[in-house]
Amino acid sequence: MTATPWAEEAAATRAPQVNELALRIATVNGTGSSSANNLLMRAIFRMGIPVSGKNIFPSNIQGLPTWYEIRVSGAGHTARARNPDLLVAMNTQTRERDVAAVRPGGCVLWDSTSPLERAGERGDVTLLGIPIARMCAEEFHNPRERILLQNVVYAGAVTALLGIDPAVTATLIDERYRRRPRLGEANRRAFRIGEEYARQHFPCPLPCHVEPMQATGGSIIVDGNTATALGCIYAGATVAAWYPITPSTSVMDAFTAFARRSRRDPMTGLSTCMIVQAEDELASIGTVIGAGWAGARAFTATSGPGLSLMQALLGLAYYTEIPAVVFDVQRAGPSTGMPTRTQQADLLAAAHASHGDTAHILLFPGDPAECFDFAVRAFDLAEHFQTPVLVLSDTDIGMNDWVVPRLRWDDTYAPDRGRVLGAAEVEAAGEYHRYADADADGVAARTLPGVSPAAAYYTRGSGHNRLAGYTEDPDEYREVVDRLARKHAAAGGWVPEPVIEARPGASVGLVTLGSGGPAVREAVEMLRAQGVAADCMRLRGYPFPEAVFRFLEGHAFCFVVEQNRDAQLRTLLLESGAGSERLGSVLLYGGEPITAGEVSDAVLVQLRRREE
């Protein structure tokens, strides 16, 4: 089947759209589409074109719908696009809904082995039928190859339709299958089948297509979990304890792989780090706290359900002032929720983890490059302030591939171990008390086990005074917990400053964090086109630095854009002293990466209401 005559005419008259397009690939989970989708994204990247990829997939092993979305933007926009220009409709169960989402004037590539039925009723899109399943059945004899290689066939067709350099894709296939030549040859054949069919039956490239640029030099493709693990290596972490949970498991997988290469004694070849898969999240955070107490840089990685189980021991570390680092790759909750979908709904649980008056330092990376940087900073902050530090990314950042500047490292870096007394310092002081002699930030000096008999103290989770002695005296208790509050407040001067983009005359501000940054930045441009001048601020740490409040006070009204139902970031801002009359909410929490259009539309609706 070829394109219908009216579709060919529409394609011929559509204005060219170069390096600004969205591709959505709709498949079924477990059919092996991931490598083909990744091939397309990496090929576009190697052509020097800014690109981003979003994998939206279910938590079951096989059989449910999954989508992969590629955003190509010469202007550098990386947020998810609302409507695709080209849809690859390989899932018959979702085909009608998928076709309905295509942008008017867009194209639908579908497997014409089966009928299109109602999904083909749209008259404003170009239908590109390719008998993918039939061609694979004719060309390949292995039943599993006939299924898996359908993905490579559509990748070949998309390469022709979008003008992707086939030499680049050929190189990528060669690189992937260098050690498996038989599989490599099968993939090359399947790719050629799709590419040749598209070139023979359709105008190639389509009006929306790509052309080489030179905009990705000095950039890499990496996911946030891998970057986090690498940051832990560079920070000097030597103890990692965890319990498997989606979507954070790959943090530990990557750390284990990196540690095999870089955590070896050069003389003996033995490992110089400890990686423990514990029996549950309670044991993993307990291991981390014990290692931190002993002087190691230790961390765990988890997600919302695991964080819930860690609450009591995080309170212990806060009250006893023991360094610990927790990476929370947030997913959709509550309870089991949607394990592979993204949200930012752990903010309050993380900020006040444990019962009682507890407040933790939080870091909010906005992309994998910041995952790397903030991993290092988290260990420094944890040891400087002798407290848990929680780094909150999310499924979008953690598991999706992002194009970011090449990771950089300062070889002069020296870890901030905080106030740690050695034997000579303890002996010179004459006597040592664990929670006495706090500095201006409220941080008392600690000692490590075995340093000196004079440095010993009880580590108490029960009420204790500044001398580390047991107490239930109200004044002595308040003295300790008030100092902890001062210490937490002082951390606001040490966490990363917000990223602010300001324009003269803007009275509206958009505030966000984490993976919401790209959509909010693009939404600001959309609002400007609608006559609304807006600034944006992406928060990167809590407690909030003073610059956050200056931004809020400098605007008549601010919208807090976050991915949860209960306005948790807005709540933290209000708790920290922001005025409620200046803060509205844009809440987008369906579990999929947010789009600039969703943000812009929500802001415009609320602005109109305020004018009524």
Side-chain angles (χ1 to χ4, degrees), residues 180-200:
R180 293 179 291 177
R182 192 190 69 79
L183 278 177
E185 178 54 33
N187 275 263
R188 282 187 287 272
R189 283 167 56 201
F191 187 88
R192 285 195 299 269
I193 290 171
E195 182 189 9
E196 290 172 1
Y197 189 97
R199 294 192 189 281
Q200 291 170 7

Side-chain angles (χ1 to χ4, degrees), residues 38-322:
N38 190 265
L39 169 72
L40 292 170
M41 178 188 172
R42 290 180 179 272
I44 295 170
F45 171 77
R46 289 201 182 181
M47 291 177 66
I49 307 166
V51 63
S52 61
K54 306 291 184 187
N55 194 13
I56 302 171
F57 62 101
S59 56
N60 75 325
I61 300 300
Q62 189 168 357
L64 290 182
T66 183
W67 295 268
Y68 190 77
E69 303 182 2
I70 296 175
R71 173 84 181 271
V72 178
S73 176
H77 297 306
T78 59
R80 180 181 174 226
R82 179 182 285 185
N83 302 104
D85 297 281
L86 173 61
L87 168 71
V88 179
M90 297 293 291
N91 187 348
T92 56
Q93 295 177 340
T94 64
R95 187 175 286 169
E96 186 173 346
R97 182 179 64 176
D98 293 332
V99 172
V102 176
R103 189 188 307 274
C107 299
V108 177
L109 188 161
W110 60 290
D111 183 359
S112 58
T113 306
S114 60
L116 198 57
E117 297 177 344
R118 291 188 59 190
E121 294 178 0
R122 281 191 63 178
D124 59 349
V125 298
T126 301
L127 302 178
L128 308 170
I130 301 179
I132 295 175
R134 178 174 63 79
M135 292 193 299
C136 283
E138 294 171 352
E139 186 71 22
F140 303 102
H141 303 295
N142 183 295
R144 180 153 177 79
E145 283 188 351
R146 288 175 173 178
I147 296 173
L148 296 178
L149 292 175
Q150 291 179 30
N151 304 299
V152 186
V153 172
Y154 75 64
V158 169
T159 294
L161 292 168
L162 295 186
I164 299 172
D165 188 344
V168 173
T169 53
T171 299
L172 287 166
I173 292 174
D174 289 344
E175 291 174 356
R176 179 173 179 82
Y177 298 105
R178 181 174 292 118
R179 297 182 180 179
R180 293 179 291 177
R182 192 190 69 79
L183 278 177
E185 178 54 33
N187 275 263
R188 282 187 287 272
R189 283 167 56 201
F191 187 88
R192 285 195 299 269
I193 290 171
E195 182 189 9
E196 290 172 1
Y197 189 97
R199 294 192 189 281
Q200 291 170 7
H201 292 83
F202 312 125
C204 293
L206 297 172
C208 62
H209 62 274
V210 298
E211 294 179 2
M213 295 179 63
Q214 294 182 343
T216 59
S219 298
I220 60 171
I221 297 177
V222 66
D223 64 86
N225 286 353
T226 299
T228 294
L230 191 61
C232 293
I233 290 288
Y234 274 76
T238 57
V239 176
W242 64 301
Y243 185 77
I245 184 170
T246 301
S248 71
T249 296
S250 58
V251 173
M252 287 302 185
D253 291 341
F255 182 80
T256 301
F258 291 138
R260 287 196 188 104
R261 299 200 301 266
S262 60
R263 290 287 186 269
R264 294 283 179 187
D265 184 283
M267 300 296 293
T268 66
L270 298 175
S271 174
T272 58
C273 73
M274 182 179 74
I275 302 172
V276 179
Q277 182 176 327
E279 62 267 31
D280 54 34
E281 286 87 353
L282 285 80
S284 63
I285 188 61
T287 301
V288 168
I289 292 169
W293 175 80
R297 288 197 150 186
F299 74 97
T300 188
T302 190
S303 192
L307 181 66
S308 297
L309 291 171
M310 296 179 183
Q311 298 277 309
L313 285 173
L314 285 170
L316 171 69
Y318 171 81
Y319 192 31
T320 56
E321 302 182 60
I322 297 174

Side-chain angles (χ1 to χ4, degrees), residues 40 48 64 212 214 257 295 331 361 413 422 459 486 513 519 522 557 578:
L40 292 170
L64 290 182
Q214 294 182 343
R331 72 190 210 186
I361 299 172
Y413 165 77
T459 304
R486 292 197 308 274
L513 79 167
E522 187 177 354
F557 198 78

Side-chain angles (χ1 to χ4, degrees), residues 6-30:
W6 52 262
E8 288 182 341
E9 181 180 348
T13 58
R14 181 176 173 181
Q17 185 178 325
V18 180
N19 293 338
E20 290 293 339
L21 63 93
L23 167 66
R24 181 173 298 169
I25 302 169
T27 60
V28 176
N29 198 35

